Amino acid sequence: MFETLTDSFTSAIKKIRFHDDEKALKKALDELKKSLLKADVHHSVVRSLIAEVEHKTKMAGIGKDQFLSAMQESLNAILDVKGNRGFVFAPNPPTVILMTGLQGSGKTTTTGKLATYLKEQKKKKVLIIAADLQRLAAVEQLRQITQKIEVDLFEDEQGEPVSVVKAGLEKARASLYDVVLIDTAGRLAIDEALMGELKAVRDVANPAEIFYVADSMTGQDAVRTATSFKEQIGIDGVILSKYDGDSKGGVALGIASQVEVPLRFIGSGEKMEDLEVFLPERIVNRLMGFGDIEGLAERTANVIDEKKAKELSKKIKKGKFNFNDFLEQMESMKKMGSMKSIMGMIPGMGDVSKALKDFDMENSKEIRQIKAMVSSMTPKEREDPDLLNNSRKMRIAAGCGMSQMEVNRVLKQFKNAAKMAKRFSGKKGMQDLQAMMGQMKGGGFPR
Ligand code: GDP
């Protein structure tokens, strides 16, 4: 996530020392300017940002800390566009939201993510209306998503968007839904027919808000299309999808300063859980390489049961971590979203996040092997890995189609992991973990 900006912010900051002179400040500002332009931020935005940072730093006295807070304040001011934050419920339910965006922007996926967020975190009854009847597979894609997240879908593939929306809203009112998300048609580019259809749907739906889903990876193009949607349909919020893939990171600044519509959420992965409320100060912290501990704590709290977490930590400290705990942990981790998006939230872990690239924990060979092995174990063996003698290992190997050598290797890894967890759970745990992560920076995952 936005490595380019974070890396160059860090190098700009390094150019200044305590009690430095204007020459040093100029060097730092030049570095900042270059990095912003490289990250695809519009030159007019860059110019005013630089002027502001310069002014603020000079007012406070030139130095690293002053430069840092000037940057933090100025970035915050850009991203903090006046308007609603996150999801705002209408006074009278259902809250109707029109989801708009170009084809391929991630609109359908984002609609599913938003529904997941509303259902799981806000405990709301959500209905999705499938009004993208342009793209052949769009309704089928929504069917799969809604089945998976267990949210109701209103669809009529043979109908017209306007009549489908009308009928869907009637159902929503009659069945007392809290929120209705309408997935509208997308096109590869903006054209009159699309805008005409969207206007007709908008007028019949009378939505509380219109969200525009912008693909972060399209940089300045995202800014241009969002502007166009704003002018023609009127948008109330932007959701930035694929933020995890945007290595440059300038798009949020571009949308906020040029489109002047508040950013409401960011999509940070392909999973249904990978959606976060856009909070300017947190994004600034992440942009500047400070991490986002609050965000991480929230995600963790959403998926981890406190009582279970305490029991688990006791077990780990005693070195009694077993295979059932392992499976349970895997489930929680899955709910937290991609490893990469989690790592990016830990201060100083930006590099590790980069190294992880698309490491897919759930589908990694190691995890699949452990899962296969566990499925061939008896309940007692799952509780107590120490029970596994040679004859049991042989039976397990046959059961899961692995060689005995492989079973031994995986078991050894599992025991090492349990030992490591015990070590990190101690007083010096966090320091040890950071030291280990530091060693990993070169790439790869520890074995
Ligand atoms: P639509 O045509 O706008 O409805 O786009 P889709 O919802 O079908 O998404 C297009 C592609 O982008 C799919 O492969 C999604 O999995 C992917 N995608 C959507 N949001 C994100 C995101 O936040 N991160 C990543 N990495 N991929 C995403």
Side-chain angles (χ1 to χ4, degrees), residues 100-113 132 135 138 141-142 145 183-188 213-217 239-246 266-272 274-275 338 358:
T100 66
L102 290 184
Q103 200 169 309
S105 64
K107 175 173 54 64
T108 309
T109 310
T110 306
T111 304
K113 288 181 180 177
D132 180 358
R135 188 158 63 92
Q141 191 186 351
L142 268 183
I145 289 177
D183 184 36
T184 63
R187 296 279 160 92
L188 291 172
V213 179
D215 180 341
S216 311
M217 288 159 85
I239 302 184
L240 280 178
S241 67
K242 310 184 201 175
Y243 215 47
D244 51 313
D246 173 29
I266 53 175
S268 52
E270 289 193 81
K271 300 205 170 119
M272 284 296 125
D274 291 331
L275 184 79
S338 72
D358 298 315

Side-chain angles (χ1 to χ4, degrees), residues 104-125:
S105 64
K107 175 173 54 64
T108 309
T109 310
T110 306
T111 304
K113 288 181 180 177
L114 196 54
T116 308
Y117 166 82
L118 292 164
K119 177 181 174 233
E120 302 294 334
Q121 297 192 32
K122 302 284 171 191
K123 310 289 172 217
K124 298 291 179 188
K125 188 175 166 189

Side-chain angles (χ1 to χ4, degrees), residues 228-246:
S228 201
F229 268 73
K230 179 187 171 187
E231 285 164 358
Q232 299 192 50
I233 315 282
I235 53 176
D236 303 288
V238 172
I239 302 184
L240 280 178
S241 67
K242 310 184 201 175
Y243 215 47
D244 51 313
D246 173 29

Side-chain angles (χ1 to χ4, degrees), residues 412-431:
K412 198 168 158 211
Q413 266 178 16
F414 182 83
K415 283 195 176 156
N416 280 343
K419 243 190 256 163
M420 203 139 69
K422 186 178 170 192
R423 184 174 137 208
F424 294 142
S425 68
K427 274 205 182 99
K428 265 179 71 240
M430 206 54 211
Q431 280 167 15

Side-chain angles (χ1 to χ4, degrees), residues 356-405:
L356 281 172
K357 288 213 175 70
D358 298 315
F359 178 75
D360 180 353
M361 185 171 53
E362 207 185 322
N363 287 314
S364 78
K365 192 173 162 215
E366 285 85 353
I367 302 294
R368 272 185 300 150
Q369 284 185 327
I370 296 187
K371 278 188 166 171
M373 270 173 49
V374 176
S375 65
S376 302
M377 288 180 194
T378 65
K380 273 204 173 130
E381 287 164 352
R382 291 180 197 192
E383 275 295 326
D384 187 1
D386 289 335
L387 281 180
L388 297 175
N389 56 19
N390 270 344
S391 71
R392 285 178 191 257
K393 281 186 210 163
M394 245 156 76
R395 196 203 74 239
I396 292 168
C400 64
M402 283 159 65
S403 69
Q404 213 183 330
M405 220 168 78

